[in-house]
Amino acid sequence: MKQRLITGIIAGTVFLGLCFIGGLSYHLLILAMALIGYYEFVKMTKTAPFGGTAWIGYAGVLLLVFPWKMLNIEVQLPWEHAIWLLLLLFLLATVTTKNAIDIQRVALLFLGAVYVGIGFSFIAESRHAGDGHGIFWTFLLLGSIWASDAGAYFVGKAAGRHKLWPSISPNKTIEGALGGVVIAVFTSLVFSFFSNGLLSAGQAVLIGLSCAVIGQLGDLVQSAYKRVYGIKDSGSLLPGHGGILDRCDSWIVVFPFVHMLGLLPY
């Protein structure tokens, strides 16, 4: 617990500090987190993390998360075209390696690149929201996600009786999940109260629900694939906390989801 606390304070201070500053430094931090997250994903699949095929995935993540707009670099390639080209390169890898890297392996590597790349891309872009209030929207989502995590943990410890999904995550309970939803919605409403009209109560409720429900599903998704590979943590970068994907499993599904619902300016 001591190690976990120290790591949390240091990592949290660095992350929140750069998030508050914003700009290129924050975007580059998110890019670094994305590349490390993909490294963790590749390693979990028992693929050489710096093998030739893995580099296709790193290139895809880089393309999706790189701060093109901030550096005034015009990219003519729409993101859906970029994803298709990424898919084609992975499929060609099965041919060039004569199936030493087979279709199942490249499918996993492609899935990881899209999962990680798009997720972290929305995390970075939320800070640069077009209405000039990116810091508010980013802290709103992070605060609601963390509130959901804390609520689920403490309510589950205090009142958890019924298992939520024991075959995937044996410690999670239905009571804890519901507690996480309530605390996340409450947290989002607090942001609304102090937003000076920027965030309506109805919008806050939808965002709180999204952060809790989709965030907990993101957590379960990672628990599911870690269970397949028989590992507890995606990595060891953050002592006591695991890897980047362990800490950001909810983030990389919540941020794209709320944007796609049109709940945040983008």
Short mmCIF file of all heavy atoms in Angstrom, two decimals, residues 7 11 29 32-33 36-37 39-40 233-247:
data_model
loop_
_atom_site.label_atom_id
_atom_site.label_comp_id
_atom_site.label_asym_id
_atom_site.label_seq_id
_atom_site.Cartn_x
_atom_site.Cartn_y
_atom_site.Cartn_z
N THR A 7 3.69 5.82 -5.58
CA THR A 7 3.59 5.82 -7.04
C THR A 7 2.42 6.68 -7.51
O THR A 7 2.53 7.47 -8.45
CB THR A 7 3.43 4.40 -7.58
OG1 THR A 7 4.53 3.60 -7.17
CG2 THR A 7 3.35 4.39 -9.10
N ALA A 11 3.02 9.86 -9.90
CA ALA A 11 2.46 9.78 -11.25
C ALA A 11 1.28 10.74 -11.42
O ALA A 11 1.14 11.40 -12.45
CB ALA A 11 2.02 8.34 -11.55
N LEU A 29 2.89 13.64 -23.73
CA LEU A 29 2.76 12.68 -22.63
C LEU A 29 1.73 11.60 -22.99
O LEU A 29 1.96 10.41 -22.79
CB LEU A 29 2.33 13.39 -21.35
CG LEU A 29 1.96 12.48 -20.17
CD1 LEU A 29 3.18 11.69 -19.70
CD2 LEU A 29 1.35 13.29 -19.02
N ALA A 32 3.19 9.25 -25.50
CA ALA A 32 4.10 8.29 -24.85
C ALA A 32 3.32 7.20 -24.12
O ALA A 32 3.67 6.01 -24.18
CB ALA A 32 5.03 9.03 -23.88
N MET A 33 2.25 7.59 -23.43
CA MET A 33 1.41 6.62 -22.72
C MET A 33 0.78 5.64 -23.71
O MET A 33 0.68 4.43 -23.44
CB MET A 33 0.33 7.34 -21.92
CG MET A 33 0.87 8.12 -20.73
SD MET A 33 -0.37 9.21 -19.96
CE MET A 33 -1.57 8.01 -19.36
N ILE A 36 3.45 3.15 -24.94
CA ILE A 36 3.75 2.20 -23.86
C ILE A 36 2.58 1.23 -23.69
O ILE A 36 2.77 0.02 -23.50
CB ILE A 36 4.05 2.92 -22.54
CG1 ILE A 36 5.34 3.74 -22.67
CG2 ILE A 36 4.17 1.93 -21.39
CD1 ILE A 36 5.57 4.69 -21.51
N GLY A 37 1.36 1.76 -23.78
CA GLY A 37 0.19 0.91 -23.68
C GLY A 37 0.15 -0.14 -24.77
O GLY A 37 -0.20 -1.30 -24.53
N TYR A 39 2.78 -1.32 -26.36
CA TYR A 39 3.86 -2.26 -26.01
C TYR A 39 3.35 -3.30 -25.01
O TYR A 39 3.61 -4.51 -25.17
CB TYR A 39 5.04 -1.48 -25.40
CG TYR A 39 6.04 -2.34 -24.67
CD1 TYR A 39 7.05 -3.00 -25.36
CD2 TYR A 39 5.97 -2.49 -23.28
CE1 TYR A 39 7.97 -3.79 -24.69
CE2 TYR A 39 6.88 -3.28 -22.61
CZ TYR A 39 7.88 -3.93 -23.31
OH TYR A 39 8.78 -4.73 -22.65
N GLU A 40 2.60 -2.85 -24.00
CA GLU A 40 2.05 -3.79 -23.02
C GLU A 40 1.08 -4.76 -23.67
O GLU A 40 1.08 -5.96 -23.35
CB GLU A 40 1.35 -3.01 -21.90
CG GLU A 40 2.29 -2.18 -21.04
CD GLU A 40 1.56 -1.29 -20.04
OE1 GLU A 40 0.30 -1.21 -20.11
OE2 GLU A 40 2.23 -0.66 -19.21
N ASP A 233 -1.36 -8.10 -14.20
CA ASP A 233 -1.20 -6.72 -14.63
C ASP A 233 -0.70 -6.68 -16.07
O ASP A 233 0.03 -7.58 -16.52
CB ASP A 233 -0.19 -5.98 -13.73
CG ASP A 233 -0.68 -5.86 -12.30
OD1 ASP A 233 -1.88 -5.62 -12.11
OD2 ASP A 233 0.15 -6.02 -11.38
N SER A 234 -1.05 -5.61 -16.77
CA SER A 234 -0.60 -5.45 -18.15
C SER A 234 0.88 -5.10 -18.23
O SER A 234 1.53 -5.32 -19.25
CB SER A 234 -1.42 -4.38 -18.87
OG SER A 234 -1.20 -3.10 -18.28
N GLY A 235 1.41 -4.51 -17.15
CA GLY A 235 2.81 -4.12 -17.13
C GLY A 235 3.25 -3.82 -15.71
O GLY A 235 2.51 -4.05 -14.75
N SER A 236 4.46 -3.29 -15.58
CA SER A 236 5.01 -3.00 -14.26
C SER A 236 5.60 -1.60 -14.17
O SER A 236 6.41 -1.31 -13.29
CB SER A 236 6.09 -4.04 -13.91
OG SER A 236 7.11 -4.07 -14.91
N LEU A 237 5.22 -0.73 -15.10
CA LEU A 237 5.77 0.63 -15.13
C LEU A 237 5.47 1.40 -13.85
O LEU A 237 6.29 2.18 -13.37
CB LEU A 237 5.22 1.38 -16.34
CG LEU A 237 5.69 2.83 -16.51
CD1 LEU A 237 7.19 2.86 -16.84
CD2 LEU A 237 4.90 3.52 -17.61
N LEU A 238 4.27 1.18 -13.29
CA LEU A 238 3.82 1.92 -12.11
C LEU A 238 3.76 0.96 -10.92
O LEU A 238 2.76 0.27 -10.75
CB LEU A 238 2.45 2.55 -12.37
CG LEU A 238 2.36 3.46 -13.60
CD1 LEU A 238 0.92 3.81 -13.90
CD2 LEU A 238 3.20 4.72 -13.39
N PRO A 239 4.81 0.89 -10.12
CA PRO A 239 4.84 -0.07 -9.00
C PRO A 239 3.61 0.06 -8.09
O PRO A 239 3.25 1.15 -7.67
CB PRO A 239 6.12 0.32 -8.24
CG PRO A 239 7.00 0.95 -9.27
CD PRO A 239 6.05 1.68 -10.18
N GLY A 240 2.97 -1.07 -7.85
CA GLY A 240 1.77 -1.07 -7.02
C GLY A 240 0.50 -0.83 -7.81
O GLY A 240 -0.60 -1.03 -7.30
N HIS A 241 0.64 -0.38 -9.06
CA HIS A 241 -0.53 -0.07 -9.90
C HIS A 241 -0.56 -0.88 -11.19
O HIS A 241 -1.58 -0.93 -11.87
CB HIS A 241 -0.55 1.42 -10.26
CG HIS A 241 -0.81 2.32 -9.10
ND1 HIS A 241 -2.07 2.79 -8.78
CD2 HIS A 241 0.03 2.83 -8.17
CE1 HIS A 241 -1.99 3.57 -7.70
NE2 HIS A 241 -0.74 3.61 -7.31
N GLY A 242 0.56 -1.49 -11.56
CA GLY A 242 0.63 -2.23 -12.81
C GLY A 242 1.15 -1.38 -13.94
O GLY A 242 2.08 -0.59 -13.77
N GLY A 243 0.54 -1.53 -15.11
CA GLY A 243 1.00 -0.81 -16.28
C GLY A 243 0.07 0.31 -16.69
O GLY A 243 -0.92 0.62 -16.02
N ILE A 244 0.38 0.92 -17.84
CA ILE A 244 -0.44 2.01 -18.36
C ILE A 244 -1.85 1.55 -18.65
O ILE A 244 -2.84 2.23 -18.30
CB ILE A 244 0.20 2.59 -19.65
CG1 ILE A 244 1.50 3.34 -19.32
CG2 ILE A 244 -0.77 3.52 -20.37
CD1 ILE A 244 1.33 4.58 -18.48
N LEU A 245 -2.00 0.39 -19.27
CA LEU A 245 -3.34 -0.09 -19.59
C LEU A 245 -4.14 -0.42 -18.34
O LEU A 245 -5.37 -0.29 -18.33
CB LEU A 245 -3.26 -1.33 -20.50
CG LEU A 245 -2.76 -1.08 -21.93
CD1 LEU A 245 -2.81 -2.37 -22.73
CD2 LEU A 245 -3.58 0.00 -22.62
N ASP A 246 -3.47 -0.86 -17.27
CA ASP A 246 -4.18 -1.12 -16.01
C ASP A 246 -4.79 0.16 -15.47
O ASP A 246 -5.89 0.15 -14.90
CB ASP A 246 -3.22 -1.70 -14.96
CG ASP A 246 -2.74 -3.09 -15.33
OD1 ASP A 246 -3.59 -3.95 -15.62
OD2 ASP A 246 -1.51 -3.32 -15.33
N ARG A 247 -4.10 1.28 -15.61
CA ARG A 247 -4.58 2.55 -15.08
C ARG A 247 -5.55 3.25 -16.03
O ARG A 247 -6.35 4.08 -15.58
CB ARG A 247 -3.39 3.50 -14.81
CG ARG A 247 -2.48 3.11 -13.68
CD ARG A 247 -3.20 2.98 -12.35
NE ARG A 247 -3.72 1.65 -12.12
CZ ARG A 247 -4.78 1.36 -11.40
NH1 ARG A 247 -5.49 2.31 -10.84
NH2 ARG A 247 -5.17 0.12 -11.22
#
